[in-house]
Amino acid sequence: MNETLGGGIMVTRSMLPPLEEYVDYLKLIWQSHHLTNSGPLSLELEKRLKEFLGCDELSFVSNGTIALQLALKALDVRGEVITSPFSYVATTSAILWENCSPVFVDVRPQDLTIDPKQIAAAITPRTSAILATHVYGFPCELEAIARLARQYKLKVIYDAAHTFGCRVDGRHLATYGDISCLSFHATKVFHTAEGGAVVINGDPPVAERVRLMRSFGHSSDDHRCVGINGKNSELHAAMGLCNLPRVPAALAMRQRLHAHYVQLLAGSAVKVLHSAHPNLDYNYAYFPVLLPDGAAVARTLAILAAKNIHPRRYFFPSINQIPYIQGGACPVSERAAQSVLCLPLSDLVSAEVQETVATAILQATRY
Ligand SMILES: *Cc1c(COP(=O)(O)O)cnc(C)c1O
């Protein structure tokens, strides 16, 4: 991923605190000589994230992919995992890496989240979990998925990598399911350069397993289970402590850019994707649009590349069509992957840039 490299307007740009603020944290690290293994800054970040999200159990980990893998392992998921084909590839590769089998269920055309009506038909005696993505921060159908999980005794894991700052009925979207996994990668709304978190919903033994498995499965000389190294460092925690207070301003900036794009594209041939959830406080993490077809996407990308502006095809291809994965057909997801573009949202995106982007889209779709 090169969204953050210089030379042009990329789909996003990493938030950075004033350097002096980060250096102040570095001075603390130099004083303590504590670089990793649940140091004071990691513990402080976990505490503040729990307050921000309103959850009891959270583990700060090295990235969002390891968060997914720890979730699958800590919940002892085996066999088939029902999942969404319209997501970042890590959602599925985590399942494969844990030697489970992904079973793809197509998404709903309106917001590209997994279609709960199709989940039941995909359940077999080997199914043990549902791993669904709140794509673009749009909530999956939480109630319907919870009902299916109760009925068929399945675990529910949410890939909540896009949800930072989203609330549903006042509750943070990353606190649903048995476990929700966050990514704090540099390209996300809130980041620690690399990082992530496992948010455990109301099951202290599972939270304890996640903590153990994150640290090689042992606590001092007491070796309890197979683990991995999923810890994160004090330097990454420091970045998070600097960035967390800046999240509300970052969300406000995105909301403003969002509103302007909506205005510029009104009446055009593009469909601006949004969640129809009645009680969602959205984080405006992405501005996804569906163009009429793949050719219009290619034309838009070419026009804008000439102006050094680079929207992105999030997500392309549909995961079920990746050659080494090859799941069954998911026509809605496949069509969306062909025609989707995420427009640039960052502090470098001026009203003028937005007008250039909208003009290019209008030009590319006028055929
Ligand atoms: C970013 C992302 C991930 C992976 O997170 P990393 O922290 O980069 O490992 C997983 N799923 C989705 C939907 C993502 O956007």
Side-chain angles (χ1 to χ4, degrees), residues 164-237:
F164 207 84
C166 287
R167 277 163 212 283
V168 163
D169 299 322
R171 176 174 158 189
H172 200 287
L173 186 49
T175 63
Y176 288 84
D178 293 292
I179 289 184
S180 283
C181 299
L182 286 161
S183 165
F184 303 149
H185 183 256
T187 52
K188 308 297 201 253
V189 166
F190 165 74
H191 78 87
T192 58
E194 290 277 3
V198 183
V199 181
I200 301 97
N201 196 356
D203 195 340
V206 173
E208 173 63 15
R209 267 164 76 81
V210 170
R211 261 193 302 276
L212 264 173
M213 287 178 164
R214 173 182 72 169
S215 293
F216 309 98
H218 72 97
S219 161
S220 72
D221 289 340
D222 185 16
H223 289 260
R224 308 255 298 276
C225 59
V226 176
I228 196 165
N229 184 358
K231 294 175 271 96
N232 210 333
S233 81
E234 290 292 277
L235 289 89
H236 293 84

Side-chain angles (χ1 to χ4, degrees), residues 4-25:
T4 54
L5 298 181
I9 308 277
M10 313 311 281
V11 70
T12 189
R13 191 167 96 119
S14 301
M15 160 162 68
L16 277 176
L19 183 57
E20 312 78 65
E21 213 174 289
Y22 190 67
V23 170
D24 284 342
Y25 278 111

Side-chain angles (χ1 to χ4, degrees), residues 4 21 30 46 76 89 159 192 235 240 273 317:
T4 54
E21 213 174 289
W30 258 246
E46 286 185 339
D76 200 18
V89 67
D159 182 335
T192 58
L235 289 89
L273 284 169

Side-chain angles (χ1 to χ4, degrees), residues 1 62-68 87-91 133-135 159-162 182-188 194-196 286 315:
M1 283 201 261
S62 46
N63 58 64
T65 305
I66 245 357
L68 291 166
S87 184
Y88 184 56
V89 67
T91 316
T133 301
H134 301 302
V135 69
D159 182 335
H162 298 176
L182 286 161
S183 165
F184 303 149
H185 183 256
T187 52
K188 308 297 201 253
E194 290 277 3
Y286 298 86
F315 291 97

Side-chain angles (χ1 to χ4, degrees), residues 275-334:
S275 172
H277 197 288
N279 275 320
L280 170 68
D281 291 321
Y282 187 45
N283 64 359
Y284 303 91
Y286 298 86
F287 192 89
V289 294
L290 292 183
L291 274 58
D293 52 33
V297 170
R299 282 195 294 272
T300 305
L301 287 172
I303 295 169
L304 289 173
K307 299 174 193 295
N308 213 0
I309 299 175
H310 306 279
R312 272 232 19 177
R313 307 174 79 187
Y314 279 144
F315 291 97
F316 178 84
S318 183
I319 300 176
N320 59 304
Q321 295 195 306
I322 290 175
Y324 65 84
I325 294 174
Q326 293 190 8
C330 298
V332 177
S333 176
E334 290 162 25

Side-chain angles (χ1 to χ4, degrees), residues 353-367:
V353 167
Q354 290 191 282
E355 280 150 32
T356 306
V357 170
T359 305
I361 290 174
L362 296 178
Q363 194 187 332
T365 52
R366 202 181 297 127
Y367 276 80

Side-chain angles (χ1 to χ4, degrees), residues 110 138 258 261-263 265-266 268-275 287-290 343:
Q110 67 265 32
F138 301 158
H258 215 270
Y261 274 135
V262 167
Q263 223 174 29
L265 294 169
S268 76
V270 308
K271 180 180 170 191
V272 176
L273 284 169
H274 66 275
S275 172
F287 192 89
V289 294
L290 292 183
L343 306 188

